[in-house]
Amino acid sequence: MDTSHHLLLLWMFLHYAVGSNSSCVKIIPDANDNISLEVGKIFTATCHLVGGSVYTSDDIEWSLENISIAKQSIRKLNETSVSVTIDVTSDMNGWLRCKAAKKTLSYVPPCIYGISLRAGYPPLKPDKLSCIAVQEDKDISPYLNCSWDPGSRNPLIKTTYTVYVQIPVSNMTYKADFEQQLASSHSVYLYTFPIHMALTVWVEVKNALGSERSDKLLTDSSSFAKPNPPLNVKVLTEVNIPNCLMVTWKHPIDRTILKLSYAIRYRKAASNVWIKVPESFTKDYITSFRLQSLEPYTQYEVQMRCIEENHSSHWSDWSTSVTGSTAEAKPASAPDLWRIIQPTSNNRNVTLIWKPPVKANGQILLYYLNISQDEGEFKRDEIKADKLSYSVELPTGKSANIEITAANSVGVSPKATLFIPRTDRELAGVENMSWSVRNEKPELEMQVEWTAVLPTYPGLHLSEYLLEWVKIPQDGHQTELQAGWQRVPYNVTKTTINGDLKKFKRYNISVYPVYKYHVRQTLQTHFQAGIPVTRPAYIQQGTPEYGPNVTVTKSKKNSAELTWEEIPLDSQHGFITDYIIFYAVGNTRQWKTVKVEPNVRSYVLTDLASETDYVVNVWVSTVAGSIPGMDYHFKTMKYGDGEVEVIVVVVCLSFLFLTVFIIMFCLRKREVIKKLLWPQVPDPSDSSIAHWSPDFPIKADMPKEDVSVVEVDVFDGKSLCEEDKAVLPLKKDKYLSEEHSSGIGGSSCMSSPRHSVSDSDEGDSGQTTASTVQYSSVVASGYKGQTPNHQPPVFARSESTQPLLDCEEHPDHLNDSGGHSRNSYFRRGRELEQGVLGQDCDGGSLTFCPVQEEETSPVVEDPPASALSYMPQQSGYRPQ
Amino acid sequence: MAGRGTNGRHGLRGQARRTAALALLVHEECTQLLELYRNSESLPSSPVDGSYLVSIPPLVPQLSDAEKISLLHAALKECLRLLEDVITRQDADFSDEEDSEYRRKRKTVRDRLGHLLASTGQLLVDGQKFEAKVKEELDGQAASGSFGLKMWVVRVLQDLVHWTGQTSDTLRSLPAEMDKAPKTMSRRTRRGAGKIRK
């Protein structure tokens, strides 16, 4: 439904746009198909108004490809005809329309008619026609493929090529045509290839603008045939004829179709240059041929092709390469013998090295080595073919003549000789040897140049030069000596090393002159090398593999000494040009650089800041580039050399002086210090309380109420009265005091009854007792429910700052003691104490007993057990 | 070489040489065709008894080469007619064997026999036209059934081998003699060629 609808719309559009047979205008010329126009020509068309049309020629317009044609190209022929003339261009492809329409508004529909134009060229004559029919199975293919040169101009319009093949004798013609604007080949099917027949072949090309025909080829059909390459080509080794190879093959096609002649070419397997056997040797219809004058024990590649015997056909392709080897012959040249001498303490370590003969003519199986030294010493050895070196010790004072031959399965080679003289008989070497690298793409080449040397002795002839290269250092894991050499004619002083020098590896390049002279005594000819000239060299230098690891061996306040090791030679990859030291403070990365010579291994950085973190690394450079080593962090010292010592000495001396000064001061001011440390305790005897008697005499009242100030101190027997000593064993007993006790200060008087003791129960160690704990205690004798019936107790307090020990002193006990000193002490000055002491201990009228010595330990005189009125102090001391 | 022009070997000598080579080729191919047929039909390799189907006057030395060629041309013409008859009958009876080697070779032989016929026709001398006789047509063997047909085919192929061989031998002996009178033969040949084109 949709399709039919679309077709209807398309038809309506075309009918409107192009016009129809019923249109009121017509174009002459007209055609059902495209009208082909030749590019460059002029084309004229005329538009006619059909009779009865309401239009006139003034209403006619022309357009090409929807573009109106200029009026200059339009010519009014009459009232009903208008012509247009246009230049045909190569891009002119489209509709040429004639339209008749009123220029004012009108209900009359316009009339349109058009013709389709195609611009193009007439075909060119095909040139260089050639045809080929390849072999197919055992016959020639019936398809004849022809090709030609159609010319470079594209016809632009539909063009037909037709290839004709005619057999003149039968007047039979085969043809094949096809449409293509610019064709250059096509094939014709001939059913059966008409071999041994004359054929005529040509090509016709035709389009709307013309036609052309190529030249006819009238020739034997075999000239179109192309046979296959020879079949089963084989190369056979000729036993006992080491310089020949037999080549055999089969005919690719029967001779009744094509009688062939053959061509052979061969080359060494390693070569890319073909050697062609003259065709006159192989022109016959043969199936074998013997290649001669070949090299023994050499692999050759052989190829063949064929052609009709009169060369009327195409050549076949070359056959695939077939290889074969010639038989062995005895070696035709000597091994290339050389030596490397390494001097030892009093000897020479001679390493003989050699290359197999260039013309080995077979597989070398053995080398025969003869070494003859002075005094008739002779050594002969057979060396397997896979070993190409031999070491021997040669004293410096001896010479040696070495001979070597190589043997294969057929025979032995000529011998190579080399003479090694005594150390003091060496011959002169070359001078001014130098090397350079040339960039001969794709590889680099090392060129060595030296000055010529002239023999200095008559009879001494310069035979040749020898160029030697030895890799340094030798790789430890490789057993084979990494060295090479090449010989250079005596008249050459400049050559290129042909060895495979590895990049980034150092080689020692040496040039030796090799002399030749005849020895009359032995009738031998000696070949002896002169003194070498050696230079280190790189074929190509590179950036070192890694940088040196720097360490700081000495770090000072403002300087640091850096040291680094030279990187191994194999890792240097070139000649080191310099080292660059980079150093910076901490993480600032503000690098400072110092460049040093390549032979420097340590450097002292100066002008560093003290006690600062630095980072340093060393770059190593070659001409190819630089590479850094690992960063090394270090810190400069705070003090310079000797500064610490000076400070220590100054401090020590200062301390010493200070100490001496203090001691002197203490000695001179000891009384003052003593007073400061041990302030004078007020003498109780001078206290007002001692003399105070308010309303009654002291003597009468004292037994009732008594104020006792007790000092408990470390026991010191010397400070005790004699009667006290009797109770010494009891000094560690617990002192129970149920009286009011107090520490130092007034608070003691208001404290509740409690234990107050100088020692603890658990351990009355000497240390505890040694510490001076002083209490003051004001004891009211009316305690424990003994309500005094006389005056209230009087509390007295010592004005001394000396700590006091709570103590209980019963008035009765005091009285009972009969004037004995009590366990109440005041610490005070010795002078003062002694003044009082006599009275107290003697009279017993006083209640105070001075302490004997100044540094006494607090000693609690235990009263007699019967008179004990102390309670053990459980909770220790009150803090002072 | 390919693409070479018309110069060279397009004279009578060249034509005779090409015809001789073609005759030899057709002879070889007819031999192969006979062998293939025998193998395909499991027939004995020994020749079938009997004289040749196609007969011409004997090629006695007294005959000129042109006469011999005319006689052989007539014989080949009958051989081709017989071969086409064989092909027609075989295709009618054994149409299932489309692409056997025998059929490919048979087609090749037919085409090349036509080429040989046209090529020998170029060597004919004006006015000398002979007719060959065919002794036994297939109709005479039809009663023998398919075996008779096969034997007849063998005899046709034997005739092909024989007469192409005769032609090859005769033509190979021609060039040396034809070199002696190239003009005459060339003129005659050109006329003959024009006749054929017509």
Side-chain angles (χ1 to χ4, degrees):
Chain A
M1 183 66 183
D2 289 341
T3 306
S4 60
H5 182 67
H6 291 156
L7 287 175
L8 179 62
L9 288 175
L10 181 63
W11 181 82
M12 291 174 66
F13 170 76
L14 290 174
H15 186 267
Y16 174 80
V18 179
S20 66
N21 290 335
S22 61
S23 176
C24 61
V25 291
K26 293 285 186 187
I27 296 178
I28 296 174
D30 194 4
N32 293 328
D33 202 354
N34 297 328
I35 296 177
S36 297
L37 305 176
E38 187 173 348
V39 176
K41 298 285 180 64
I42 293 173
F43 174 68
T44 301
T46 306
C47 183
H48 295 279
L49 288 171
V50 179
S53 172
V54 298
Y55 299 104
T56 65
S57 57
D58 295 333
D59 299 325
I60 292 176
E61 293 180 350
W62 285 94
S63 66
L64 180 63
E65 299 175 45
N66 294 327
I67 299 173
S68 295
I69 297 175
K71 290 185 177 179
Q72 296 88 327
S73 303
I74 299 171
R75 191 163 67 94
K76 180 179 176 182
L77 301 178
N78 51 42
E79 288 300 317
T80 61
S81 300
V82 176
S83 68
V84 64
T85 301
I86 53 177
D87 294 328
V88 180
T89 57
S90 59
D91 57 349
M92 183 185 292
N93 288 308
W95 289 95
L96 176 67
R97 291 193 181 92
C98 166
K99 178 181 177 183
K102 293 292 184 184
K103 293 183 174 56
T104 59
L105 288 175
S106 174
Y107 63 91
V108 181
C111 295
I112 297 178
Y113 197 83
I115 55 175
S116 177
L117 303 180
R118 290 287 182 273
Y121 296 96
L124 296 176
K125 179 182 176 181
D127 195 14
K128 299 176 185 174
L129 174 64
S130 64
C131 299
I132 187 170
V134 298
Q135 182 179 342
E136 189 176 87
D137 196 12
K138 293 180 180 177
D139 204 340
I140 303 298
S141 169
Y143 289 95
L144 184 67
N145 300 304
C146 295
S147 58
W148 58 90
D149 178 10
S152 58
R153 191 179 70 184
N154 190 333
L156 300 176
I157 57 176
K158 186 173 72 176
T159 303
T160 302
Y161 289 84
T162 305
V163 182
Y164 293 91
V165 179
Q166 188 184 52
I167 303 175
V169 295
S170 65
N171 212 14
M172 184 171 287
T173 303
Y174 306 87
K175 69 174 186 177
D177 53 3
F178 65 107
E179 286 184 4
Q180 189 174 338
Q181 289 183 350
L182 208 58
S184 60
S185 65
H186 197 52
S187 62
V188 185
Y189 182 56
L190 305 177
Y191 297 92
T192 298
F193 187 79
I195 194 73
H196 303 308
M197 303 284 285
L199 295 180
T200 303
V201 183
W202 70 97
V203 177
E204 283 186 2
V205 54
K206 186 185 294 183
N207 64 17
L209 298 175
S211 65
E212 287 288 346
R213 175 192 289 183
S214 71
D215 293 334
K216 287 188 176 180
L217 289 179
L218 175 57
T219 183
D220 194 303
S221 61
S222 62
S223 65
F224 300 129
K226 180 183 178 182
N228 286 340
L231 296 174
N232 294 338
V233 179
K234 293 179 181 176
V235 179
L236 307 174
T237 302
E238 295 273 51
V239 182
N240 298 328
I241 311 177
N243 54 358
C244 288
L245 281 175
M246 177 65 78
V247 184
T248 63
W249 64 93
K250 288 183 178 178
H251 304 298
I253 197 167
D254 193 87
R255 62 184 299 171
T256 56
I257 298 176
L258 282 178
K259 189 177 180 183
L260 300 172
S261 69
Y262 297 91
I264 301 175
R265 66 179 184 180
Y266 64 95
R267 66 181 178 185
K268 290 182 185 177
S271 172
N272 54 5
V273 178
W274 291 100
I275 302 167
K276 200 167 183 179
V277 176
E279 290 183 20
S280 58
F281 294 173
T282 56
K283 67 179 181 180
D284 295 331
Y285 193 66
I286 54 177
T287 55
S288 65
F289 186 80
R290 176 178 282 120
L291 298 174
Q292 299 179 357
S293 302
L294 305 178
E295 293 181 12
Y297 197 65
T298 304
Q299 194 174 43
Y300 286 92
E301 287 183 21
V302 177
Q303 289 185 344
M304 290 190 69
R305 65 175 181 173
C306 55
I307 193 171
E308 196 271 337
E309 64 176 350
N310 296 312
H311 287 212
S312 65
S313 72
H314 290 273
W315 275 104
S316 73
D317 294 329
W318 286 105
S319 65
T320 55
S321 294
V322 180
T323 57
S325 296
T326 51
E328 286 192 21
K330 72 176 185 178
S333 64
D336 186 358
L337 176 65
W338 184 235
R339 86 293 183 275
I340 292 176
I341 299 174
Q342 294 168 310
T344 56
S345 57
N346 58 352
N347 238 347
R348 287 179 292 175
N349 186 10
V350 179
T351 303
L352 301 173
I353 51 179
W354 59 88
K355 300 175 187 173
V358 176
K359 297 178 181 177
N361 290 346
Q363 184 178 5
I364 300 298
L365 303 175
L366 282 175
Y367 292 98
Y368 297 107
L369 183 66
N370 295 335
I371 302 173
S372 55
Q373 298 185 20
D374 294 344
E375 301 169 359
E377 288 184 36
F378 183 78
K379 189 174 184 181
R380 182 184 176 89
D381 209 345
E382 292 182 2
I383 302 164
K384 291 184 178 178
D386 56 350
K387 190 178 178 185
L388 296 173
S389 64
Y390 187 89
S391 293
V392 61
E393 293 284 338
L394 182 65
T396 54
K398 286 190 175 182
S399 60
N401 192 36
I402 296 127
E403 295 178 353
I404 190 169
T405 56
N408 62 13
S409 62
V410 178
V412 178
S413 73
K415 67 181 178 184
T417 63
L418 186 65
F419 183 75
I420 302 174
R422 290 162 44 180
T423 308
D424 56 351
R425 296 281 178 87
E426 292 194 352
L427 300 173
V430 301
E431 295 178 358
N432 300 328
M433 190 270 269
S434 63
W435 60 272
S436 60
V437 175
R438 294 192 307 168
N439 189 4
E440 296 293 329
K441 291 180 178 179
E443 292 184 352
L444 298 171
E445 287 184 353
M446 181 174 288
Q447 195 170 62
V448 182
E449 193 171 3
W450 60 92
T451 55
V453 65
L454 296 175
T456 52
Y457 304 105
L460 190 66
H461 304 284
L462 181 63
S463 171
E464 60 192 351
Y465 293 101
L466 189 138
L467 190 58
E468 175 195 86
W469 56 93
V470 180
K471 180 185 171 300
I472 53 171
Q474 293 283 319
D475 292 338
H477 62 277
Q478 288 194 354
T479 55
E480 188 179 345
L481 194 64
Q482 294 170 284
W485 71 97
Q486 69 186 68
R487 297 181 187 273
V488 183
Y490 67 93
N491 54 355
V492 174
T493 57
K494 183 178 183 180
T495 190
T496 301
I497 291 179
N498 58 22
D500 181 23
L501 301 184
K502 292 181 170 52
K503 293 190 291 187
F504 312 142
K505 301 296 180 187
R506 180 177 291 189
Y507 289 86
N508 271 344
I509 311 293
S510 304
V511 174
Y512 298 80
V514 178
Y515 300 96
K516 173 183 177 182
Y517 58 92
H518 189 71
V519 181
R520 292 179 182 175
Q521 293 81 0
T522 59
L523 300 178
Q524 287 181 325
T525 300
H526 281 178
F527 291 89
Q528 179 180 336
I531 298 172
V533 178
T534 303
R535 299 275 187 276
Y538 286 90
I539 187 75
Q540 184 179 355
Q541 299 189 59
T543 305
E545 192 174 342
Y546 53 86
N549 290 328
V550 63
T551 57
V552 174
T553 53
K554 291 178 185 174
S555 175
K556 297 181 180 179
K557 182 179 179 181
N558 299 113
S559 66
E561 182 178 351
L562 313 176
T563 60
W564 59 91
E565 294 293 328
E566 186 180 35
I567 57 178
L569 203 56
D570 254 359
S571 301
Q572 290 183 9
H573 291 182
F575 297 111
I576 293 176
T577 54
D578 52 55
Y579 291 100
I580 304 174
I581 302 167
F582 283 77
Y583 64 101
V585 174
N587 294 322
T588 62
R589 298 291 170 184
Q590 294 175 350
W591 298 99
K592 296 178 180 176
T593 60
V594 178
K595 182 182 286 189
V596 297
E597 293 297 313
N599 55 349
V600 174
R601 297 288 177 275
S602 67
Y603 187 80
V604 178
L605 295 176
T606 56
D607 297 332
L608 303 179
S610 63
E611 201 178 8
T612 304
D613 289 319
Y614 279 91
V615 59
V616 62
N617 62 39
V618 175
W619 290 61
V620 59
S621 304
T622 65
V623 292
S626 305
I627 191 168
M630 298 288 288
D631 285 355
Y632 187 87
H633 296 264
F634 69 96
K635 187 174 184 179
T636 51
M637 306 295 287
K638 186 174 183 179
Y639 301 104
D641 288 344
E643 283 188 13
V644 173
E645 289 81 351
V646 170
I647 292 170
V648 168
V649 169
V650 169
V651 169
C652 289
L653 289 176
S654 301
F655 184 75
L656 183 62
F657 285 129
L658 182 65
T659 305
V660 170
F661 175 77
I662 291 171
I663 292 171
M664 293 293 293
F665 179 81
C666 291
L667 290 175
R668 294 179 67 117
K669 299 291 183 180
R670 65 177 184 276
E671 291 303 326
V672 176
I673 294 169
K674 188 174 179 181
K675 286 180 181 178
L676 289 173
L677 295 177
W678 294 281
Q680 186 173 5
V681 179
D683 190 353
S685 60
D686 292 337
S687 65
S688 59
I689 197 168
H691 304 286
W692 177 66
S693 59
D695 294 330
F696 51 88
I698 296 172
K699 291 288 183 177
D701 296 337
M702 283 303 287
K704 295 292 181 176
E705 291 178 326
D706 194 10
V707 176
S708 177
V709 178
V710 180
E711 179 180 333
V712 180
D713 205 340
V714 176
F715 175 78
D716 188 348
K718 292 179 181 178
S719 65
L720 298 176
C721 299
E722 288 302 319
E723 57 270 33
D724 294 330
K725 291 177 183 175
V727 296
L728 249 175
L730 300 174
K731 73 180 181 74
K732 290 184 180 178
D733 290 349
K734 299 168 182 166
Y735 293 65
L736 180 63
S737 176
E738 293 181 345
E739 303 299 330
H740 299 286
S741 64
S742 67
I744 293 184
S747 63
S748 62
C749 297
M750 299 305 293
S751 62
S752 60
R754 55 179 300 169
H755 297 116
S756 178
V757 70
S758 62
D759 295 336
S760 66
D761 289 343
E762 288 75 21
D764 188 12
S765 66
Q767 289 175 336
T768 306
T769 54
S771 60
T772 301
V773 183
Q774 299 167 349
Y775 301 89
S776 65
S777 179
V778 178
V779 180
S781 58
Y783 187 63
K784 291 185 179 179
Q786 298 173 10
T787 304
N789 53 3
H790 55 273
Q791 295 178 347
V794 177
F795 293 88
R797 177 172 183 161
S798 172
E799 295 177 2
S800 171
T801 60
Q802 190 76 13
L804 301 177
L805 179 67
D806 288 344
C807 64
E808 179 186 4
E809 184 172 303
H810 198 278
D812 298 336
H813 188 251
L814 284 172
N815 294 333
D816 293 340
S817 64
H820 285 279
S821 65
R822 308 293 301 272
N823 293 331
S824 303
Y825 302 95
F826 283 99
R827 187 175 297 168
R828 54 190 175 183
R830 186 178 297 269
E831 299 88 346
L832 184 59
E833 288 172 359
Q834 286 179 348
V836 177
L837 187 61
Q839 295 177 355
D840 292 346
C841 294
D842 294 337
S845 59
L846 295 176
T847 58
F848 298 100
C849 184
V851 178
Q852 283 287 338
E853 290 186 7
E854 188 176 326
E855 59 276 7
T856 56
S857 300
V859 175
V860 177
E861 283 288 330
D862 289 339
S866 57
L868 186 61
S869 60
Y870 298 97
M871 293 295 287
Q873 184 175 346
Q874 297 292 332
S875 58
Y877 312 118
R878 181 172 300 231
Q880 299 294 306
Chain B
M1 295 296 292
R4 192 162 56 191
T6 56
N7 58 338
R9 301 183 296 117
H10 294 289
L12 179 63
R13 189 172 53 180
Q15 177 64 32
R17 189 178 297 140
R18 280 197 299 271
T19 307
L22 180 57
L24 181 62
L25 170 61
V26 176
H27 173 67
E28 289 287 333
E29 289 182 331
C30 288
T31 306
Q32 294 168 12
L33 181 64
L34 176 59
E35 189 66 21
L36 285 171
Y37 184 71
R38 280 175 171 154
N39 290 337
S40 64
E41 300 297 335
S42 302
L43 297 174
S45 59
S46 58
V48 176
D49 292 338
S51 60
Y52 294 111
L53 297 175
V54 177
S55 64
I56 55 172
L59 300 175
V60 294
Q62 291 76 16
L63 294 175
S64 67
D65 292 332
E67 289 169 339
K68 290 177 184 175
I69 291 172
S70 296
L71 289 171
L72 292 170
H73 178 76
L76 293 175
K77 188 176 179 183
E78 289 304 317
C79 286
L80 179 59
R81 189 181 62 80
L82 287 172
L83 179 60
E84 287 177 341
D85 194 11
V86 167
I87 291 171
T88 304
R89 291 182 181 278
Q90 284 182 331
D91 289 347
D93 294 343
F94 310 101
S95 58
D96 53 333
E97 298 177 10
E98 287 294 331
D99 197 30
S100 66
E101 186 179 359
Y102 167 74
R103 291 199 172 216
R104 289 197 301 273
K105 181 62 75 177
R106 191 184 66 185
K107 170 181 169 292
T108 303
V109 168
R110 184 193 62 186
D111 291 346
R112 289 210 166 121
L113 191 56
H115 297 159
L116 179 60
L117 197 61
S119 190
T120 52
Q122 285 283 294
L123 302 175
L124 295 178
V125 179
D126 293 343
Q128 288 186 333
K129 196 168 185 180
F130 297 94
E131 292 292 334
K133 290 182 180 178
V134 179
K135 291 180 180 176
E136 299 176 42
E137 293 291 345
L138 180 60
D139 295 341
Q141 303 290 332
S144 302
S146 61
F147 184 76
L149 175 62
K150 288 177 182 176
M151 289 297 103
W152 180 75
V153 170
V154 171
R155 294 188 66 187
V156 170
L157 296 180
Q158 284 180 343
D159 271 44
L160 286 173
V161 172
H162 173 72
W163 292 117
T164 53
Q166 286 288 312
T167 306
S168 171
D169 293 342
T170 303
L171 290 174
R172 279 193 291 173
S173 64
L174 280 181
E177 294 182 13
M178 295 179 77
D179 286 345
K180 296 174 183 174
K183 292 181 180 177
T184 305
M185 293 299 289
S186 175
R187 180 175 50 81
R188 290 173 183 171
T189 303
R190 280 198 297 273
R191 285 197 210 115
K195 189 176 179 181
I196 290 171
R197 290 191 189 102
K198 292 177 183 177

